[in-house]
Amino acid sequence: MNKLKEIEELCKIGIADVQLCFNIKEDLWDKYIEQELCKNESLMDLINFRQSVNFDWKVDTKLGGPATTLNACVLYCLIRYYDLFMICETGVAGGYSTVFLLEAVSRNGGIMRSLELSNDMNEVAKLVPEKWKDSPTWHLKTGVDSVEFLRNENDDYNRIFHLYCHDSLHTFKHMFSELTEFKKCKNDRFFVFFDDQNSENFWDRCLQMKLFEKKGYNVKYISGKESRLNGHMGGIIKYDKVL
Ligand SMILES: C[S@@+](CC[C@H](N)C(=O)[O-])C[C@H]1O[C@@H](n2cnc3c(N)ncnc32)[C@H](O)[C@@H]1O
């Protein structure tokens, strides 16, 4: 059983559009999905479970619906291609996207911090294999509001992540507050990813009000809307310091 086959065309289109937007010449699907992800048995088992008819998020991941496999694959490629090794994730729930992020960042020798509001340890990260739970790669903070946590000026880590990955509360107010904190990043290059970027028309409102911009940085972005997937894929914003 390889459930990824069923959505292969969709994933290939999303990944190809990301390549086009960021001018990536390499075939990310072949290099990172075929050659790496498809050979990772535990990731394939997880995909097969997520895509199966038996999976019901209201039962299996009660804190919130999991990311799509499309978004998980796109993020995996992005992390591996750009060698991103410091990742911040908001909104863990059962941890579907968490597992892909951890697999990719660990291959890069990096670390991930995950911020989750719930303290229910029967539910938080229940899809995440035990090997990650006491691994130095993963720093899970539960019972925290992502925005409050990121606002802490004394935590230098908050400003040096290479990828900020939003999948917490999908209201305009909360997403905008996270974006404001993410944009305080001091790296020459960093990425921001928004799952459910069309909630409360977040993506279009940001474009209209030029909220993605950051002084001194070139900004490139793609969401499903700028791609052939028309909103189906999450939104990615790439920041490059003007040197
Ligand atoms: C859509 S689910 C995350 C799905 C997860 N990324 C996955 O792929 O399985 C949203 C999660 O965000 C958490 N959440 C909601 N508000 C939050 C906040 N203010 N700060 C941090 N996490 C929050 C919820 O408790 C829930 O677990």
Side-chain angles (χ1 to χ4, degrees):
M1 176 176 55
N2 178 356
K3 290 277 186 188
L4 189 56
K5 280 270 165 237
E6 291 172 9
I7 50 166
E8 181 174 329
E9 281 318 304
L10 183 76
C11 292
K12 279 184 170 169
I13 292 173
I15 291 171
D17 284 357
V18 170
Q19 284 181 214
L20 205 60
C21 174
F22 298 140
N23 202 17
I24 298 171
K25 303 284 182 245
E26 236 169 317
D27 181 347
L28 301 183
W29 173 269
D30 181 61
K31 186 162 183 192
Y32 298 116
I33 304 298
E34 290 281 5
Q35 304 300 328
E36 272 188 30
L37 195 145
C38 286
K39 293 181 180 163
N40 182 324
E41 264 182 46
S42 78
L43 271 184
M44 290 310 288
D45 286 349
L46 187 60
I47 290 175
N48 289 335
F49 175 54
R50 161 80 173 88
Q51 298 299 131
S52 78
V53 286
N54 300 327
F55 180 81
D56 176 357
W57 75 264
K58 287 186 179 138
V59 176
D60 294 308
T61 60
K62 289 185 191 129
L63 290 175
T68 61
T69 302
L70 163 69
N71 281 339
C73 288
V74 166
L75 285 167
Y76 186 94
C77 291
L78 204 67
I79 293 166
R80 292 290 291 129
Y81 176 76
Y82 285 104
D83 196 19
L84 311 178
F85 56 89
M86 294 277 298
I87 297 180
C88 176
E89 175 198 38
T90 71
V92 177
Y96 187 66
S97 50
T98 309
V99 183
F100 291 77
L101 300 174
L102 282 169
E103 289 287 346
V105 78
S106 67
R107 278 192 177 254
N108 295 346
I111 60 117
M112 177 159 86
R113 173 184 273 175
S114 299
L115 307 174
E116 165 59 51
L117 188 63
S118 172
N119 253 333
D120 180 352
M121 296 319 286
N122 290 323
E123 288 300 327
V124 175
K126 70 196 285 190
L127 301 177
V128 178
E130 285 304 313
K131 68 168 180 175
W132 295 115
K133 296 202 173 154
D134 38 33
S135 132
T137 306
W138 194 30
H139 307 171
L140 169 65
K141 312 266 181 201
T142 60
V144 295
D145 171 75
S146 55
V147 172
E148 272 177 33
F149 192 92
L150 290 163
R151 257 188 206 140
N152 181 358
E153 300 292 338
N154 298 321
D155 189 341
D156 291 338
Y157 262 132
N158 285 339
R159 312 289 169 238
I160 55 169
F161 289 105
H162 300 125
L163 169 65
Y164 295 85
C165 208
H166 158 94
D167 195 13
S168 56
L169 183 62
H170 303 307
T171 61
F172 181 86
K173 185 168 179 282
H174 190 79
M175 292 163 97
F176 170 66
S177 302
E178 280 194 9
L179 175 65
T180 305
E181 297 310 313
F182 297 163
K183 284 198 325 186
K184 291 179 185 166
C185 181
K186 293 178 177 154
N187 293 342
D188 289 351
R189 168 174 288 167
F190 65 98
F191 292 83
V192 172
F193 177 82
F194 279 98
D195 202 290
D196 275 359
Q197 76 280 14
N198 296 321
S199 286
E200 297 192 2
N201 214 13
F202 173 77
W203 193 265
D204 286 347
R205 287 163 81 184
C206 286
L207 291 179
Q208 273 157 20
M209 293 186 271
K210 299 191 183 347
L211 299 180
F212 292 149
E213 289 182 12
K214 174 173 163 83
K215 200 166 168 226
Y217 282 76
N218 286 323
V219 184
K220 272 199 156 184
Y221 50 77
I222 180 167
S223 86
K225 284 195 184 165
E226 286 87 17
S227 93
R228 288 168 282 172
L229 297 183
N230 196 25
H232 199 68
M233 187 175 73
I236 307 168
I237 313 158
K238 176 168 171 277
Y239 289 90
D240 280 298
K241 196 177 221 165
V242 182
L243 296 170

